[in-house]
Structures are given as C-alpha cells and as structure tokens.
Amino acid sequence: MLRKVKLAHQLHQACQAAALDAYREGSSGLASWLPARCNGNVGARCASTSAGPSGSHQAPAAAAASTASTSGSEGETPLSVFSRQSQNLAAMPLYPKLLGFAGAIPFTTLTPAFVQTAGLPDLVDYCAQMQLVYGGSIVSFLGAVHWGLAMSSSTMAAGGSRAAGALNERYVWSVVPSLGVVPALMMPPAQGSLAIAVLLGICYISDAAYYRSGYLPSWYMSLRGYLTLLALCSMLATTGHYLKRDVERAKKLMEEEDAKRAARLEARAAEASAAAAAAVASSAAAPPAAVAQGRGRK
C-alpha cells in the first residue's frame, strides 16, 4: 500500500514537473490540463498524456492560425480593385445596371474619334452637337434624382427640424444642374463639352457627399462611378478634338500670314532692285547725250 502511495506521489510530481515545463514553453493548455488529469487514478489518467496534449495544442494552434490570417487580411487587402468592383457590379440591381450602361453608349459613339473611325468625317460637328445635348439631358436627370428621392422620403420631418432642412437642401440642389446646363448648351461643342464634363464631376462629388450622409444606396454610387468615368472621358475627348483642330487652324493661319508677309517682302525687294537698275541705266546713258548736245551747240 505504501509502495502504491509513493508511486502515485512520484507520478504526481512527474506530471506537475511536465506541466511546469510545458507552461514555461508557452503551452498554457497543457499546464491547465495535466494537473487535473493526474489527480485521482494517476496511473490510468497519466497514461493518456501522450494523446491529451496533442489535442490541447491543436486548438491554440488553430486559433493562432485564424488570428494570423485575420491580421494578414487586415494588413494586405484580400481582394484586388478589379475583384471588388466585380462584386459591386454583381450586387447592383439588374435594370438600373442595364439601363445605366446603355445610357453611356451615346457618350462614346458620338465622339469625333468614333465618328471618324466609322468613316463619317462630315458628321463630326453634327454628332458633337448631339453629344452635347445628350450630356445636358443626363446632367439634368442627375439633378432630378434628388428631387424624386426628396419627394419619396419616408421621413415625416417637422418644420424647422434638421431632417426638413436636409430635404429642402435636396430640393434646391436638384434644380442646380439643369440651370447650369442652359449656358453650356449655348456654347460651341469645344467649350460646351468641357462645361458638361465639369457639371458631371460636380454632380458626382455632390452625390458622394449625400452617400456618406446615408441618403443614397451604395450600388448607386458604384454605378455612378463607372458611368461618370465613361461620360467624362467621352466629353473630354470631344473637347480635345476641337481644341486640337483650333490649334491646327491657328497654326495654319499663322503659316499663311508668314507666307504672305514673305511674298510682300520679296515683291518690295524686287521693286527696289528694279528701280536701282533703272537708275543705274539712266545714269550710264546720260553723259553721251550731254556730249552730243554740246557738239550741236558749237
């Protein structure tokens, strides 16, 4: 009996020493598991220590791996910009997505570069004017979106409250784009397309501010990002085409003026040389005539 007690006491001390060593090595799960398992039937319980610690090591290891993966995902962005935008496209409602991208087709197909590539150079000015009018209608539509959202707002704001002020602000802003379109449509395509591009950028900045305030859904801003980029590139392409054409025309006019100026200078030089030659010829012919006149007098 005394031998059994001594053996159990020795096994208990060995288990405690192993637990202490494991704790020093950083395995807290093993340190909490071994003393509890070594109490009572020491011989049977301590025989299973080879299997117990492995399971206790697996749980902290899995937790550490998940923590490392989480920290890595926070440090490195798991999705690229393209994949994020693909997810945003997939999350958009179908009909707004189809109608929105279909509405971007006139912006791109009415650009002078596209019309010239299509073999219709005589229609460049006409298509540019159509693009200008279409861009103005889109800008007016972007303002009307806020009018409609303000009308359909479910918030019953009391007069003078903050919500009522926000609704009134949206009503006021909704008419600003259409008012800015009017002078843009009266400009030539070069200046008008630039003005429409500026208005599109202002509308996007305003919508981004309303989105941060919670007044617009996230899918709408994702769609607006794509469509605004396409529209801006198309309008600026038209502006660049006409600016390039104006620069070429001005350069050609300057070359023509230089050619005319050079021609006038050459004509004046020719006239001066002819007059000088005539003067030399007249001075060379004058002495014989004077001698003949003197002889006649004698």
Side-chain angles (χ1 to χ4, degrees), residues 200-222:
L200 287 170
I202 293 174
C203 289
Y204 182 80
I205 294 173
S206 174
D207 288 350
Y210 280 114
Y211 166 70
R212 288 192 295 268
S213 301
Y215 293 110
L216 291 172
S218 58
W219 66 264
Y220 178 74
M221 290 309 301
S222 299

Side-chain angles (χ1 to χ4, degrees), residues 280-296:
V280 171
S282 61
S283 62
V291 172
Q293 289 179 359
R295 289 178 179 177

